[in-house]
Each structure stands twice: as C-alpha cells, then as structure tokens.
Amino acid sequence: MAISYALDIATATPAIQVARALDTVARAVGLFHASVTPELLVGEGVVTGRGTWIRVGEKTPQPWNPVITDLGFTPRVWVVFRFDKFSDSSGQQDDMVRLVSGLLERVTGDAVLHFDFEVVWLLRRGGELSLNERDDIWPPQRLAAVSLPYRRATYAFS
C-alpha cells in the first residue's frame, strides 16, 4: 500500500497556476527533471528523483469533507504526494515539506497538509501557519525548511 499525503488549499488560484508555482519551487530545490511541466503535474503527475509521485488538481468537495466540517474551510485545489514504498520515506517527507513551504509562499488561502485525514502536519488558517507539535513529524531539518513564520499547535480530524 502506498503512503499518500494531501495538501488541500482554499484558493481562487486555478490548479494550473498552482502547478506552475509548484514547478518553480521544485526546480529551485532541484527536485524536478527538466522534462517536467506544469501540464504534466495537472495531467498524469510527475515523479521526483526519490520516487515521490506528485499531482495537482481541482477539487469540488462534498459538504461532509473533513476539511470543511473539522477545519472550517472549503478546499478548491489539491496536491497529492504518493511516496515510493521502496525509497527513503524520511527523505521523501523532507522533499514534500520543502515543496509545500515554497508553495505556501506563492499561493494564498487556507491550507492543510495531512496524512490520509488522520494526521494534520500543518494548517494555515486566516493567514496563520501552525505546525504539528510532534517532533517526530517536525525534526530540526524540516523545521528549518519552513520559511514562513509559524507556531506549533496540533489539530486533528474528528
């Protein structure tokens, strides 16, 4: 079974523009091959050098979506990160955090990065960024990768 994380964003920015922003961030940190395009990100998705499959899409969430019911905002764009089960998952998590941090600098709106609606890694709501208080999720090298101001607080889905 593949491990997947989702970044759900309440933004008016179309998915293709989010994909362009993600492409810019990934190139700056050396995660995408030269053949990657934003169109591939919103199409079939792309694979990083560590084997993480990434795809961007538009969302029409149902009213029972946990992001709406538990966190109070309606996501319009999603980014999925599916890890290669044969590669270093910690390294893939580090890459994901670098990508999400850079993306949150470029795309406005409330956002949540979560593991399968079970663990909230980060939450941006009302312009304030909160990172989960668990040190196993946020060791020093990941905290250092977050360029926006943040506080530590833990949120959960019901």
Side-chain angles (χ1 to χ4, degrees), residues 36-70:
V36 171
T37 66
E39 291 74 21
L40 282 173
L41 278 165
V42 296
E44 62 196 50
V46 302
V47 178
T48 68
R50 290 193 212 244
T52 304
W53 178 77
I54 303 171
R55 188 168 175 225
V56 178
E58 298 204 356
K59 188 172 204 130
T60 307
Q62 299 300 317
W64 47 261
N65 182 300
V67 175
I68 298 170
T69 61
D70 296 352

PDB file of all heavy atoms in Angstrom, residues 36-70:
ATOM      1  N   VAL A  36       9.831  17.873 -16.799  1.00  0.00           N
ATOM      2  CA  VAL A  36       8.589  18.117 -16.059  1.00  0.00           C
ATOM      3  C   VAL A  36       7.992  19.454 -16.474  1.00  0.00           C
ATOM      4  O   VAL A  36       8.700  20.449 -16.618  1.00  0.00           O
ATOM      5  CB  VAL A  36       8.833  18.090 -14.535  1.00  0.00           C
ATOM      6  CG1 VAL A  36       7.603  18.551 -13.770  1.00  0.00           C
ATOM      7  CG2 VAL A  36       9.253  16.695 -14.094  1.00  0.00           C
ATOM      8  N   THR A  37       6.675  19.465 -16.655  1.00  0.00           N
ATOM      9  CA  THR A  37       5.949  20.691 -16.975  1.00  0.00           C
ATOM     10  C   THR A  37       4.755  20.815 -16.031  1.00  0.00           C
ATOM     11  O   THR A  37       4.279  19.807 -15.493  1.00  0.00           O
ATOM     12  CB  THR A  37       5.424  20.678 -18.418  1.00  0.00           C
ATOM     13  OG1 THR A  37       4.432  19.640 -18.537  1.00  0.00           O
ATOM     14  CG2 THR A  37       6.544  20.471 -19.432  1.00  0.00           C
ATOM     15  N   PRO A  38       4.239  22.027 -15.857  1.00  0.00           N
ATOM     16  CA  PRO A  38       3.025  22.188 -15.063  1.00  0.00           C
ATOM     17  C   PRO A  38       1.845  21.386 -15.631  1.00  0.00           C
ATOM     18  O   PRO A  38       1.021  20.867 -14.884  1.00  0.00           O
ATOM     19  CB  PRO A  38       2.750  23.690 -15.122  1.00  0.00           C
ATOM     20  CG  PRO A  38       4.105  24.301 -15.320  1.00  0.00           C
ATOM     21  CD  PRO A  38       4.826  23.325 -16.214  1.00  0.00           C
ATOM     22  N   GLU A  39       1.810  21.265 -16.949  1.00  0.00           N
ATOM     23  CA  GLU A  39       0.737  20.489 -17.583  1.00  0.00           C
ATOM     24  C   GLU A  39       0.797  19.020 -17.172  1.00  0.00           C
ATOM     25  O   GLU A  39      -0.240  18.372 -16.995  1.00  0.00           O
ATOM     26  CB  GLU A  39       0.800  20.636 -19.109  1.00  0.00           C
ATOM     27  CG  GLU A  39       0.441  22.032 -19.611  1.00  0.00           C
ATOM     28  CD  GLU A  39       1.528  23.095 -19.372  1.00  0.00           C
ATOM     29  OE1 GLU A  39       2.709  22.740 -19.191  1.00  0.00           O
ATOM     30  OE2 GLU A  39       1.166  24.283 -19.357  1.00  0.00           O
ATOM     31  N   LEU A  40       2.006  18.474 -17.031  1.00  0.00           N
ATOM     32  CA  LEU A  40       2.142  17.098 -16.539  1.00  0.00           C
ATOM     33  C   LEU A  40       1.676  16.983 -15.095  1.00  0.00           C
ATOM     34  O   LEU A  40       1.078  15.977 -14.701  1.00  0.00           O
ATOM     35  CB  LEU A  40       3.585  16.618 -16.655  1.00  0.00           C
ATOM     36  CG  LEU A  40       4.065  16.195 -18.032  1.00  0.00           C
ATOM     37  CD1 LEU A  40       5.564  15.906 -17.994  1.00  0.00           C
ATOM     38  CD2 LEU A  40       3.300  14.986 -18.514  1.00  0.00           C
ATOM     39  N   LEU A  41       1.959  18.010 -14.293  1.00  0.00           N
ATOM     40  CA  LEU A  41       1.527  17.994 -12.894  1.00  0.00           C
ATOM     41  C   LEU A  41       0.004  17.907 -12.765  1.00  0.00           C
ATOM     42  O   LEU A  41      -0.500  17.237 -11.873  1.00  0.00           O
ATOM     43  CB  LEU A  41       2.033  19.235 -12.154  1.00  0.00           C
ATOM     44  CG  LEU A  41       3.466  19.180 -11.656  1.00  0.00           C
ATOM     45  CD1 LEU A  41       3.962  20.567 -11.286  1.00  0.00           C
ATOM     46  CD2 LEU A  41       3.580  18.228 -10.470  1.00  0.00           C
ATOM     47  N   VAL A  42      -0.721  18.593 -13.635  1.00  0.00           N
ATOM     48  CA  VAL A  42      -2.187  18.524 -13.566  1.00  0.00           C
ATOM     49  C   VAL A  42      -2.743  17.394 -14.433  1.00  0.00           C
ATOM     50  O   VAL A  42      -3.934  17.108 -14.374  1.00  0.00           O
ATOM     51  CB  VAL A  42      -2.868  19.860 -13.951  1.00  0.00           C
ATOM     52  CG1 VAL A  42      -2.522  20.954 -12.968  1.00  0.00           C
ATOM     53  CG2 VAL A  42      -2.558  20.272 -15.367  1.00  0.00           C
ATOM     54  N   GLY A  43      -1.882  16.758 -15.189  1.00  0.00           N
ATOM     55  CA  GLY A  43      -2.303  15.624 -16.009  1.00  0.00           C
ATOM     56  C   GLY A  43      -2.033  14.315 -15.299  1.00  0.00           C
ATOM     57  O   GLY A  43      -2.674  13.966 -14.309  1.00  0.00           O
ATOM     58  N   GLU A  44      -1.012  13.616 -15.771  1.00  0.00           N
ATOM     59  CA  GLU A  44      -0.698  12.296 -15.224  1.00  0.00           C
ATOM     60  C   GLU A  44       0.121  12.340 -13.945  1.00  0.00           C
ATOM     61  O   GLU A  44       0.293  11.331 -13.273  1.00  0.00           O
ATOM     62  CB  GLU A  44       0.036  11.475 -16.278  1.00  0.00           C
ATOM     63  CG  GLU A  44       1.359  12.088 -16.684  1.00  0.00           C
ATOM     64  CD  GLU A  44       1.911  11.515 -17.970  1.00  0.00           C
ATOM     65  OE1 GLU A  44       1.149  11.455 -18.955  1.00  0.00           O
ATOM     66  OE2 GLU A  44       3.092  11.135 -17.981  1.00  0.00           O
ATOM     67  N   GLY A  45       0.640  13.521 -13.601  1.00  0.00           N
ATOM     68  CA  GLY A  45       1.501  13.641 -12.432  1.00  0.00           C
ATOM     69  C   GLY A  45       2.946  13.402 -12.816  1.00  0.00           C
ATOM     70  O   GLY A  45       3.251  12.977 -13.938  1.00  0.00           O
ATOM     71  N   VAL A  46       3.852  13.702 -11.883  1.00  0.00           N
ATOM     72  CA  VAL A  46       5.284  13.547 -12.137  1.00  0.00           C
ATOM     73  C   VAL A  46       5.933  12.815 -10.965  1.00  0.00           C
ATOM     74  O   VAL A  46       5.378  12.747  -9.877  1.00  0.00           O
ATOM     75  CB  VAL A  46       5.976  14.911 -12.370  1.00  0.00           C
ATOM     76  CG1 VAL A  46       5.349  15.651 -13.543  1.00  0.00           C
ATOM     77  CG2 VAL A  46       5.927  15.765 -11.122  1.00  0.00           C
ATOM     78  N   VAL A  47       7.113  12.294 -11.210  1.00  0.00           N
ATOM     79  CA  VAL A  47       7.856  11.562 -10.184  1.00  0.00           C
ATOM     80  C   VAL A  47       9.179  12.287  -9.924  1.00  0.00           C
ATOM     81  O   VAL A  47       9.897  12.628 -10.866  1.00  0.00           O
ATOM     82  CB  VAL A  47       8.117  10.104 -10.617  1.00  0.00           C
ATOM     83  CG1 VAL A  47       8.931   9.363  -9.573  1.00  0.00           C
ATOM     84  CG2 VAL A  47       6.800   9.381 -10.874  1.00  0.00           C
ATOM     85  N   THR A  48       9.485  12.490  -8.642  1.00  0.00           N
ATOM     86  CA  THR A  48      10.746  13.131  -8.273  1.00  0.00           C
ATOM     87  C   THR A  48      11.876  12.107  -8.318  1.00  0.00           C
ATOM     88  O   THR A  48      11.634  10.910  -8.463  1.00  0.00           O
ATOM     89  CB  THR A  48      10.681  13.722  -6.854  1.00  0.00           C
ATOM     90  OG1 THR A  48      10.606  12.656  -5.904  1.00  0.00           O
ATOM     91  CG2 THR A  48       9.506  14.662  -6.688  1.00  0.00           C
ATOM     92  N   GLY A  49      13.079  12.588  -8.120  1.00  0.00           N
ATOM     93  CA  GLY A  49      14.244  11.708  -8.106  1.00  0.00           C
ATOM     94  C   GLY A  49      14.198  10.656  -7.013  1.00  0.00           C
ATOM     95  O   GLY A  49      14.757   9.578  -7.152  1.00  0.00           O
ATOM     96  N   ARG A  50      13.514  10.947  -5.907  1.00  0.00           N
ATOM     97  CA  ARG A  50      13.375   9.965  -4.821  1.00  0.00           C
ATOM     98  C   ARG A  50      12.171   9.058  -5.008  1.00  0.00           C
ATOM     99  O   ARG A  50      11.908   8.199  -4.166  1.00  0.00           O
ATOM    100  CB  ARG A  50      13.244  10.659  -3.480  1.00  0.00           C
ATOM    101  CG  ARG A  50      14.493  11.336  -3.014  1.00  0.00           C
ATOM    102  CD  ARG A  50      14.319  11.706  -1.549  1.00  0.00           C
ATOM    103  NE  ARG A  50      15.009  12.908  -1.198  1.00  0.00           N
ATOM    104  CZ  ARG A  50      15.997  12.956  -0.337  1.00  0.00           C
ATOM    105  NH1 ARG A  50      16.419  11.864   0.256  1.00  0.00           N
ATOM    106  NH2 ARG A  50      16.562  14.110  -0.037  1.00  0.00           N
ATOM    107  N   GLY A  51      11.414   9.280  -6.075  1.00  0.00           N
ATOM    108  CA  GLY A  51      10.297   8.394  -6.369  1.00  0.00           C
ATOM    109  C   GLY A  51       8.937   8.867  -5.904  1.00  0.00           C
ATOM    110  O   GLY A  51       7.951   8.144  -6.025  1.00  0.00           O
ATOM    111  N   THR A  52       8.833  10.082  -5.377  1.00  0.00           N
ATOM    112  CA  THR A  52       7.534  10.607  -4.959  1.00  0.00           C
ATOM    113  C   THR A  52       6.745  11.035  -6.185  1.00  0.00           C
ATOM    114  O   THR A  52       7.224  11.831  -6.998  1.00  0.00           O
ATOM    115  CB  THR A  52       7.706  11.824  -4.022  1.00  0.00           C
ATOM    116  OG1 THR A  52       8.522  11.450  -2.917  1.00  0.00           O
ATOM    117  CG2 THR A  52       6.361  12.313  -3.514  1.00  0.00           C
ATOM    118  N   TRP A  53       5.527  10.499  -6.306  1.00  0.00           N
ATOM    119  CA  TRP A  53       4.628  10.893  -7.389  1.00  0.00           C
ATOM    120  C   TRP A  53       3.805  12.069  -6.893  1.00  0.00           C
ATOM    121  O   TRP A  53       3.243  12.028  -5.788  1.00  0.00           O
ATOM    122  CB  TRP A  53       3.726   9.713  -7.762  1.00  0.00           C
ATOM    123  CG  TRP A  53       2.715  10.010  -8.826  1.00  0.00           C
ATOM    124  CD1 TRP A  53       2.952  10.103 -10.171  1.00  0.00           C
ATOM    125  CD2 TRP A  53       1.316  10.222  -8.643  1.00  0.00           C
ATOM    126  NE1 TRP A  53       1.772  10.354 -10.837  1.00  0.00           N
ATOM    127  CE2 TRP A  53       0.760  10.438  -9.913  1.00  0.00           C
ATOM    128  CE3 TRP A  53       0.489  10.250  -7.532  1.00  0.00           C
ATOM    129  CZ2 TRP A  53      -0.592  10.678 -10.102  1.00  0.00           C
ATOM    130  CZ3 TRP A  53      -0.864  10.495  -7.714  1.00  0.00           C
ATOM    131  CH2 TRP A  53      -1.389  10.698  -8.993  1.00  0.00           C
ATOM    132  N   ILE A  54       3.760  13.138  -7.703  1.00  0.00           N
ATOM    133  CA  ILE A  54       3.062  14.363  -7.317  1.00  0.00           C
ATOM    134  C   ILE A  54       2.086  14.742  -8.414  1.00  0.00           C
ATOM    135  O   ILE A  54       2.425  14.705  -9.602  1.00  0.00           O
ATOM    136  CB  ILE A  54       4.056  15.525  -7.101  1.00  0.00           C
ATOM    137  CG1 ILE A  54       5.100  15.141  -6.055  1.00  0.00           C
ATOM    138  CG2 ILE A  54       3.313  16.796  -6.697  1.00  0.00           C
ATOM    139  CD1 ILE A  54       6.243  16.123  -5.933  1.00  0.00           C
ATOM    140  N   ARG A  55       0.885  15.131  -7.983  1.00  0.00           N
ATOM    141  CA  ARG A  55      -0.134  15.558  -8.942  1.00  0.00           C
ATOM    142  C   ARG A  55      -0.934  16.699  -8.328  1.00  0.00           C
ATOM    143  O   ARG A  55      -1.156  16.726  -7.112  1.00  0.00           O
ATOM    144  CB  ARG A  55      -1.050  14.401  -9.288  1.00  0.00           C
ATOM    145  CG  ARG A  55      -2.008  14.717 -10.405  1.00  0.00           C
ATOM    146  CD  ARG A  55      -2.695  13.470 -10.924  1.00  0.00           C
ATOM    147  NE  ARG A  55      -3.686  13.834 -11.903  1.00  0.00           N
ATOM    148  CZ  ARG A  55      -4.910  13.343 -11.955  1.00  0.00           C
ATOM    149  NH1 ARG A  55      -5.282  12.406 -11.095  1.00  0.00           N
ATOM    150  NH2 ARG A  55      -5.755  13.744 -12.857  1.00  0.00           N
ATOM    151  N   VAL A  56      -1.385  17.622  -9.160  1.00  0.00           N
ATOM    152  CA  VAL A  56      -2.177  18.779  -8.742  1.00  0.00           C
ATOM    153  C   VAL A  56      -3.531  18.695  -9.427  1.00  0.00           C
ATOM    154  O   VAL A  56      -3.618  18.312 -10.603  1.00  0.00           O
ATOM    155  CB  VAL A  56      -1.476  20.098  -9.141  1.00  0.00           C
ATOM    156  CG1 VAL A  56      -2.328  21.306  -8.754  1.00  0.00           C
ATOM    157  CG2 VAL A  56      -0.085  20.177  -8.530  1.00  0.00           C
ATOM    158  N   GLY A  57      -4.592  19.048  -8.716  1.00  0.00           N
ATOM    159  CA  GLY A  57      -5.912  19.014  -9.325  1.00  0.00           C
ATOM    160  C   GLY A  57      -6.879  19.970  -8.660  1.00  0.00           C
ATOM    161  O   GLY A  57      -6.612  20.525  -7.596  1.00  0.00           O
ATOM    162  N   GLU A  58      -8.016  20.143  -9.323  1.00  0.00           N
ATOM    163  CA  GLU A  58      -9.080  20.979  -8.770  1.00  0.00           C
ATOM    164  C   GLU A  58     -10.054  20.088  -8.027  1.00  0.00           C
ATOM    165  O   GLU A  58     -10.269  18.935  -8.391  1.00  0.00           O
ATOM    166  CB  GLU A  58      -9.763  21.770  -9.879  1.00  0.00           C
ATOM    167  CG  GLU A  58      -8.772  22.701 -10.535  1.00  0.00           C
ATOM    168  CD  GLU A  58      -9.381  23.901 -11.225  1.00  0.00           C
ATOM    169  OE1 GLU A  58     -10.612  24.022 -11.278  1.00  0.00           O
ATOM    170  OE2 GLU A  58      -8.591  24.716 -11.702  1.00  0.00           O
ATOM    171  N   LYS A  59     -10.639  20.641  -6.997  1.00  0.00           N
ATOM    172  CA  LYS A  59     -11.466  19.866  -6.090  1.00  0.00           C
ATOM    173  C   LYS A  59     -12.860  20.482  -6.020  1.00  0.00           C
ATOM    174  O   LYS A  59     -13.002  21.697  -5.953  1.00  0.00           O
ATOM    175  CB  LYS A  59     -10.802  19.895  -4.711  1.00  0.00           C
ATOM    176  CG  LYS A  59     -11.403  19.002  -3.692  1.00  0.00           C
ATOM    177  CD  LYS A  59     -10.515  19.002  -2.454  1.00  0.00           C
ATOM    178  CE  LYS A  59     -10.727  17.747  -1.682  1.00  0.00           C
ATOM    179  NZ  LYS A  59      -9.541  17.036  -1.323  1.00  0.00           N
ATOM    180  N   THR A  60     -13.865  19.632  -6.031  1.00  0.00           N
ATOM    181  CA  THR A  60     -15.225  20.033  -5.733  1.00  0.00           C
ATOM    182  C   THR A  60     -15.660  19.178  -4.547  1.00  0.00           C
ATOM    183  O   THR A  60     -16.233  18.106  -4.712  1.00  0.00           O
ATOM    184  CB  THR A  60     -16.161  19.800  -6.944  1.00  0.00           C
ATOM    185  OG1 THR A  60     -15.593  20.435  -8.086  1.00  0.00           O
ATOM    186  CG2 THR A  60     -17.544  20.356  -6.676  1.00  0.00           C
ATOM    187  N   PRO A  61     -15.299  19.638  -3.347  1.00  0.00           N
ATOM    188  CA  PRO A  61     -15.544  18.793  -2.176  1.00  0.00           C
ATOM    189  C   PRO A  61     -17.022  18.675  -1.818  1.00  0.00           C
ATOM    190  O   PRO A  61     -17.818  19.581  -2.069  1.00  0.00           O
ATOM    191  CB  PRO A  61     -14.781  19.505  -1.067  1.00  0.00           C
ATOM    192  CG  PRO A  61     -14.704  20.924  -1.506  1.00  0.00           C
ATOM    193  CD  PRO A  61     -14.683  20.905  -3.009  1.00  0.00           C
ATOM    194  N   GLN A  62     -17.354  17.547  -1.260  1.00  0.00           N
ATOM    195  CA  GLN A  62     -18.696  17.300  -0.754  1.00  0.00           C
ATOM    196  C   GLN A  62     -18.836  17.990   0.607  1.00  0.00           C
ATOM    197  O   GLN A  62     -17.840  18.175   1.312  1.00  0.00           O
ATOM    198  CB  GLN A  62     -18.932  15.796  -0.623  1.00  0.00           C
ATOM    199  CG  GLN A  62     -18.816  15.040  -1.938  1.00  0.00           C
ATOM    200  CD  GLN A  62     -19.819  15.526  -2.963  1.00  0.00           C
ATOM    201  OE1 GLN A  62     -20.986  15.761  -2.651  1.00  0.00           O
ATOM    202  NE2 GLN A  62     -19.369  15.691  -4.195  1.00  0.00           N
ATOM    203  N   PRO A  63     -20.047  18.327   1.021  1.00  0.00           N
ATOM    204  CA  PRO A  63     -20.235  19.027   2.299  1.00  0.00           C
ATOM    205  C   PRO A  63     -19.723  18.245   3.511  1.00  0.00           C
ATOM    206  O   PRO A  63     -19.413  18.831   4.539  1.00  0.00           O
ATOM    207  CB  PRO A  63     -21.745  19.225   2.391  1.00  0.00           C
ATOM    208  CG  PRO A  63     -22.286  18.957   1.037  1.00  0.00           C
ATOM    209  CD  PRO A  63     -21.271  18.146   0.284  1.00  0.00           C
ATOM    210  N   TRP A  64     -19.600  16.929   3.388  1.00  0.00           N
ATOM    211  CA  TRP A  64     -19.126  16.107   4.503  1.00  0.00           C
ATOM    212  C   TRP A  64     -17.608  15.984   4.542  1.00  0.00           C
ATOM    213  O   TRP A  64     -17.049  15.338   5.423  1.00  0.00           O
ATOM    214  CB  TRP A  64     -19.748  14.712   4.449  1.00  0.00           C
ATOM    215  CG  TRP A  64     -19.699  14.094   3.085  1.00  0.00           C
ATOM    216  CD1 TRP A  64     -20.713  14.061   2.180  1.00  0.00           C
ATOM    217  CD2 TRP A  64     -18.586  13.445   2.455  1.00  0.00           C
ATOM    218  NE1 TRP A  64     -20.299  13.448   1.026  1.00  0.00           N
ATOM    219  CE2 TRP A  64     -18.997  13.045   1.166  1.00  0.00           C
ATOM    220  CE3 TRP A  64     -17.287  13.161   2.851  1.00  0.00           C
ATOM    221  CZ2 TRP A  64     -18.144  12.388   0.286  1.00  0.00           C
ATOM    222  CZ3 TRP A  64     -16.447  12.517   1.968  1.00  0.00           C
ATOM    223  CH2 TRP A  64     -16.885  12.139   0.697  1.00  0.00           C
ATOM    224  N   ASN A  65     -16.904  16.634   3.616  1.00  0.00           N
ATOM    225  CA  ASN A  65     -15.445  16.580   3.583  1.00  0.00           C
ATOM    226  C   ASN A  65     -14.888  17.033   4.932  1.00  0.00           C
ATOM    227  O   ASN A  65     -15.258  18.098   5.438  1.00  0.00           O
ATOM    228  CB  ASN A  65     -14.930  17.487   2.464  1.00  0.00           C
ATOM    229  CG  ASN A  65     -13.431  17.471   2.317  1.00  0.00           C
ATOM    230  OD1 ASN A  65     -12.707  17.819   3.236  1.00  0.00           O
ATOM    231  ND2 ASN A  65     -12.963  17.098   1.143  1.00  0.00           N
ATOM    232  N   PRO A  66     -13.987  16.259   5.550  1.00  0.00           N
ATOM    233  CA  PRO A  66     -13.445  16.615   6.866  1.00  0.00           C
ATOM    234  C   PRO A  66     -12.740  17.971   6.920  1.00  0.00           C
ATOM    235  O   PRO A  66     -12.696  18.597   7.974  1.00  0.00           O
ATOM    236  CB  PRO A  66     -12.463  15.483   7.172  1.00  0.00           C
ATOM    237  CG  PRO A  66     -12.910  14.348   6.339  1.00  0.00           C
ATOM    238  CD  PRO A  66     -13.509  14.947   5.104  1.00  0.00           C
ATOM    239  N   VAL A  67     -12.182  18.418   5.818  1.00  0.00           N
ATOM    240  CA  VAL A  67     -11.548  19.741   5.824  1.00  0.00           C
ATOM    241  C   VAL A  67     -12.612  20.812   6.074  1.00  0.00           C
ATOM    242  O   VAL A  67     -12.403  21.751   6.847  1.00  0.00           O
ATOM    243  CB  VAL A  67     -10.772  20.004   4.519  1.00  0.00           C
ATOM    244  CG1 VAL A  67     -10.217  21.421   4.483  1.00  0.00           C
ATOM    245  CG2 VAL A  67      -9.655  18.984   4.343  1.00  0.00           C
ATOM    246  N   ILE A  68     -13.775  20.636   5.469  1.00  0.00           N
ATOM    247  CA  ILE A  68     -14.871  21.586   5.661  1.00  0.00           C
ATOM    248  C   ILE A  68     -15.461  21.451   7.062  1.00  0.00           C
ATOM    249  O   ILE A  68     -15.585  22.436   7.788  1.00  0.00           O
ATOM    250  CB  ILE A  68     -15.976  21.363   4.599  1.00  0.00           C
ATOM    251  CG1 ILE A  68     -15.425  21.606   3.192  1.00  0.00           C
ATOM    252  CG2 ILE A  68     -17.176  22.263   4.876  1.00  0.00           C
ATOM    253  CD1 ILE A  68     -16.350  21.174   2.075  1.00  0.00           C
ATOM    254  N   THR A  69     -15.813  20.228   7.440  1.00  0.00           N
ATOM    255  CA  THR A  69     -16.516  20.024   8.709  1.00  0.00           C
ATOM    256  C   THR A  69     -15.630  20.228   9.930  1.00  0.00           C
ATOM    257  O   THR A  69     -16.094  20.734  10.951  1.00  0.00           O
ATOM    258  CB  THR A  69     -17.150  18.620   8.774  1.00  0.00           C
ATOM    259  OG1 THR A  69     -16.113  17.627   8.672  1.00  0.00           O
ATOM    260  CG2 THR A  69     -18.171  18.417   7.671  1.00  0.00           C
ATOM    261  N   ASP A  70     -14.368  19.846   9.855  1.00  0.00           N
ATOM    262  CA  ASP A  70     -13.497  19.908  11.032  1.00  0.00           C
ATOM    263  C   ASP A  70     -12.601  21.148  11.080  1.00  0.00           C
ATOM    264  O   ASP A  70     -12.263  21.620  12.158  1.00  0.00           O
ATOM    265  CB  ASP A  70     -12.616  18.658  11.111  1.00  0.00           C
ATOM    266  CG  ASP A  70     -13.411  17.383  11.315  1.00  0.00           C
ATOM    267  OD1 ASP A  70     -14.631  17.446  11.553  1.00  0.00           O
ATOM    268  OD2 ASP A  70     -12.798  16.306  11.229  1.00  0.00           O
TER     269      ASP A  70
END
